Amino acid sequence: MQCESSQELKGLIDEAKIYTKDGQVAQYIPALRDADPDKLAVAVYYPDGSCYAAGDVRHKMSLQSISKVITLALALIDRGEDVVFDHVGKEPTGDPFNSIIKLETISPSKPLNPMINAGALAVTHMLIGNTVEERFERLLNFVRELAGNSTITYNEEIAKSEFETAELNRAFCYYLKQHNVINEDVEELIDLYTKQCAIEVNSVDLARIGCVFAMNGIDPVTDKQVIPASVVRICKTFMVTCGMYNASGEFAIDVGIPAKSGVSGGVMGAVPHKCGIGIYGASLDDKGNSVAGLKLLEMMSRKYDLSMF
Ligand code: GLU
């Protein structure tokens, strides 16, 4: 990991750190409960391959919902837009990520977008491969390629812990199966999904992946087009409209960058044409966003004029 430590970012971390006291770490996945709520890290990755960071940058976090953007990109590459949007919609819900309420009220019955759990499960279902292992391996290799880090793997304990407790996600799957959105074995899909959510990265990895999205799919080091620009455009639009759970509207006003958060406390930002941002701060607000991470992004957006609006 090549990333210079930055005094300027350290100043922002020191300022934002007091807000970690305003939230708490995710409780509903047992293996996430022991996370240290005081840790805070930020990394910024630029298109020329330079990187600046501050705080607990080596600390690993599971991707959780951040993985939803990456699986969406892979499913769009694998299956194309028409098939993907046959299974999942394009509209924000304004509801929590694990809400079931709108699934029943819309017609045809498909999840409203790929960033809520029901939609993400429908997307994971579309990943190509003959077995769960094969599909997961492809996803993992894709994450490794985007992060430029071949050592990335998943945390077995977190995956197992979520697998053993994911009854609500199972309920979504059965609902989707009843309505022909998915047609695979539910336990297999939950196995794949919980492994996907347990892929572990640090803030630098996240910032680098964010940078690929910021640069419309071009790898900042190899200059290779690793995701088609048309796919990145769709992913970034979802990041703006529903990437920060049901706080996405507020985030668009206060910060104004495409971003995706996860309940482990990670946030991945993609500032169009400028940089990728990776944040870790496990203390969450009541919507599931890193409470100090949000403050940090707000400060950075103002200081560096990052808002795209
Ligand atoms: N694995 C988590 C779940 O499905 C991801 C949720 C999140 O990060 O928002 O509940």
Side-chain angles (χ1 to χ4, degrees), residues 96 122 145 156 177 200 285 309:
E145 181 181 24
E156 283 182 39
K177 201 166 176 177
E200 271 190 330
D285 64 17
F309 301 109

mmCIF file of all heavy atoms in Angstrom, residues 96 122 145 156 177 200 285 309:
data_model
loop_
_atom_site.group_PDB
_atom_site.id
_atom_site.type_symbol
_atom_site.label_atom_id
_atom_site.label_comp_id
_atom_site.label_asym_id
_atom_site.label_seq_id
_atom_site.Cartn_x
_atom_site.Cartn_y
_atom_site.Cartn_z
ATOM 1 N N PRO A 96 -35.640 2.567 4.924
ATOM 2 C CA PRO A 96 -34.388 1.923 5.325
ATOM 3 C C PRO A 96 -33.990 0.798 4.373
ATOM 4 O O PRO A 96 -34.839 0.239 3.668
ATOM 5 C CB PRO A 96 -34.716 1.360 6.711
ATOM 6 C CG PRO A 96 -35.840 2.187 7.208
ATOM 7 C CD PRO A 96 -36.640 2.561 5.991
ATOM 8 N N ALA A 122 -31.227 -9.446 -5.613
ATOM 9 C CA ALA A 122 -31.607 -9.735 -7.001
ATOM 10 C C ALA A 122 -30.398 -9.552 -7.931
ATOM 11 O O ALA A 122 -30.236 -10.284 -8.906
ATOM 12 C CB ALA A 122 -32.758 -8.825 -7.431
ATOM 13 N N GLU A 145 -9.011 -6.456 -8.585
ATOM 14 C CA GLU A 145 -8.556 -5.683 -9.746
ATOM 15 C C GLU A 145 -8.834 -4.192 -9.536
ATOM 16 O O GLU A 145 -7.966 -3.343 -9.754
ATOM 17 C CB GLU A 145 -9.259 -6.181 -11.015
ATOM 18 C CG GLU A 145 -8.798 -5.424 -12.255
ATOM 19 C CD GLU A 145 -9.503 -5.871 -13.537
ATOM 20 O OE1 GLU A 145 -10.612 -6.414 -13.469
ATOM 21 O OE2 GLU A 145 -8.914 -5.630 -14.610
ATOM 22 N N GLU A 156 -14.162 -14.739 7.068
ATOM 23 C CA GLU A 156 -15.058 -15.901 7.217
ATOM 24 C C GLU A 156 -15.972 -15.780 8.425
ATOM 25 O O GLU A 156 -17.128 -16.178 8.398
ATOM 26 C CB GLU A 156 -14.229 -17.182 7.341
ATOM 27 C CG GLU A 156 -13.695 -17.630 6.007
ATOM 28 C CD GLU A 156 -12.913 -18.931 6.089
ATOM 29 O OE1 GLU A 156 -13.313 -19.832 6.845
ATOM 30 O OE2 GLU A 156 -11.883 -19.017 5.390
ATOM 31 N N LYS A 177 -38.420 -14.955 -4.992
ATOM 32 C CA LYS A 177 -38.555 -16.236 -5.688
ATOM 33 C C LYS A 177 -40.024 -16.484 -6.057
ATOM 34 O O LYS A 177 -40.337 -16.896 -7.179
ATOM 35 C CB LYS A 177 -38.024 -17.356 -4.786
ATOM 36 C CG LYS A 177 -37.657 -18.594 -5.534
ATOM 37 C CD LYS A 177 -36.831 -19.546 -4.699
ATOM 38 C CE LYS A 177 -36.578 -20.812 -5.487
ATOM 39 N NZ LYS A 177 -35.734 -21.759 -4.774
ATOM 40 N N GLU A 200 -13.092 -7.994 2.758
ATOM 41 C CA GLU A 200 -12.435 -6.999 3.621
ATOM 42 C C GLU A 200 -11.450 -6.107 2.867
ATOM 43 O O GLU A 200 -10.602 -6.589 2.115
ATOM 44 C CB GLU A 200 -11.669 -7.713 4.731
ATOM 45 C CG GLU A 200 -12.517 -7.957 5.933
ATOM 46 C CD GLU A 200 -11.702 -8.433 7.119
ATOM 47 O OE1 GLU A 200 -10.668 -9.096 6.925
ATOM 48 O OE2 GLU A 200 -12.098 -8.140 8.242
ATOM 49 N N ASP A 285 -24.896 6.364 12.530
ATOM 50 C CA ASP A 285 -26.105 7.101 12.930
ATOM 51 C C ASP A 285 -27.322 6.180 12.775
ATOM 52 O O ASP A 285 -27.180 5.017 12.386
ATOM 53 C CB ASP A 285 -26.240 8.412 12.140
ATOM 54 C CG ASP A 285 -26.436 8.185 10.639
ATOM 55 O OD1 ASP A 285 -26.790 7.055 10.247
ATOM 56 O OD2 ASP A 285 -26.233 9.142 9.871
ATOM 57 N N PHE A 309 -22.729 19.645 -7.443
ATOM 58 C CA PHE A 309 -23.963 20.400 -7.748
ATOM 59 C C PHE A 309 -23.767 21.906 -7.638
ATOM 60 O O PHE A 309 -22.897 22.381 -6.957
ATOM 61 C CB PHE A 309 -25.078 19.947 -6.798
ATOM 62 C CG PHE A 309 -25.362 18.472 -6.926
ATOM 63 C CD1 PHE A 309 -25.002 17.596 -5.931
ATOM 64 C CD2 PHE A 309 -25.973 17.976 -8.075
ATOM 65 C CE1 PHE A 309 -25.249 16.229 -6.047
ATOM 66 C CE2 PHE A 309 -26.223 16.614 -8.202
ATOM 67 C CZ PHE A 309 -25.863 15.743 -7.191
#
